[in-house]
Amino acid sequence: MAYHAGALKALHDWGVDPTKFDLIVGTSAGSILGAYLRAGWTAEDFYDYAHGRHPASAKDLAAQRREERDIFVPLSRSRPERLRRGVGSAFAAASSRGYLRVATRGREPGPSLRRLFPAGLYSTDGTRQRLRDDLPDEWPEQDIYLCAADLYKGQRVAFGSPGAPPAPYPDAVLASTAIPGVFPPVKIDGRHYVDGGVVSATSLDLAVDAGCDSIICVAPLGFRTDGVVLGDPKMWGPIFVRSLFARALRREVNEARAGGIEVFVIRPWSTELRSHGTNSMRHHDRVAVTESARRGVTRLLEDNEGHPALAPDTARVNGGPAA
């Protein structure tokens, strides 16, 4: 989220207003940023939040760490329960990727088995309440797709898109951020949903199918090489974690461009990966990551001045993965 905040600030300063995008496609952290943009937040709000200047933000490092602890409240109270949740969480991680559907030919586990091995290690009660406090139940008039995955089918569902199941706006955001195995799945209209990043971290194809002729894609889990020594062992972990995503992103971008669509991809420079590390969910210095992103994206914009996707009158999409 800190990377998104810096990227949106750089775009805003460049003259690209994220609140004016014709369509926002959000996944995981990107769904939070997108949902708040559609609810009235601006790029400046996210930037101020990261710096502790926004009325809703934690003001200092200690407060930020307390806020993080509130996000990771363990659901287990005993060793046996942790073991059962561990089994259920491993199952959820595999099922969300479609392995269960293939292995069982579409059969889903019964209620008794789900109760015995519940999925999710950390509670989302606090996050659910905050989203409900901050966001309206009704969807905004401007288009936004929030991407989740059906836990037992392993298929992507873009809430807010034509034909998608109905869902309260805050619940759709929660489902899009429910990392399988880490957080419990979110039940909506009788189905269970998890983070859509297990299917695609950007869902660039949704913007293509929606008819956008120009796309801006914010991809914190990608990277752009800028001369860093990749032989440095400290870089191996971050690069390995991003390698599969980078290939998938490259494929989606190439397919969009093959259809004549202008795509501008925003992703960290490889020199930024030292501070990002391999675990995007660990505690970070929000100000440092946000400022690094702002500077890096500004540099990228300067290097690509005149790119058609950055023109003020083009359709834009902001899509984002787990950060």
Side-chain angles (χ1 to χ4, degrees), residues 21-106:
F21 292 180
D22 296 319
L23 169 67
I24 293 176
V25 177
T27 304
S28 200
S31 70
I32 296 177
L33 275 290
Y36 277 75
L37 280 173
R38 285 297 194 239
W41 279 50
T42 66
E44 293 282 355
D45 286 326
F46 292 117
Y47 186 70
D48 287 344
Y49 186 95
H51 282 74
R53 298 191 294 260
H54 193 275
S57 65
K59 303 304 179 185
D60 54 38
L61 187 61
Q64 289 179 13
R65 288 189 178 277
R66 287 194 298 271
E67 188 177 60
E68 182 183 8
R69 286 196 296 270
D70 291 341
I71 295 174
F72 292 100
V73 177
L75 285 167
S76 303
R77 297 176 179 171
S78 65
R79 181 180 176 85
E81 186 178 2
R82 283 196 296 273
L83 290 173
R84 290 191 293 108
R85 282 196 171 274
V87 172
S89 296
F91 172 83
S95 177
S96 63
R97 287 166 171 78
Y99 301 144
L100 174 71
R101 179 169 51 88
V102 174
T104 65
R105 298 181 181 179

Side-chain angles (χ1 to χ4, degrees), residues 2 27 40 63 78 93 119 128 162 170 215 218 226 232 239 272 280 294 302:
T27 304
S78 65
R128 182 191 299 272
I215 298 171
V218 183
D226 61 346
D232 182 354
I239 290 175
E272 297 178 68
S280 298
R294 183 187 61 79
E302 291 171 347

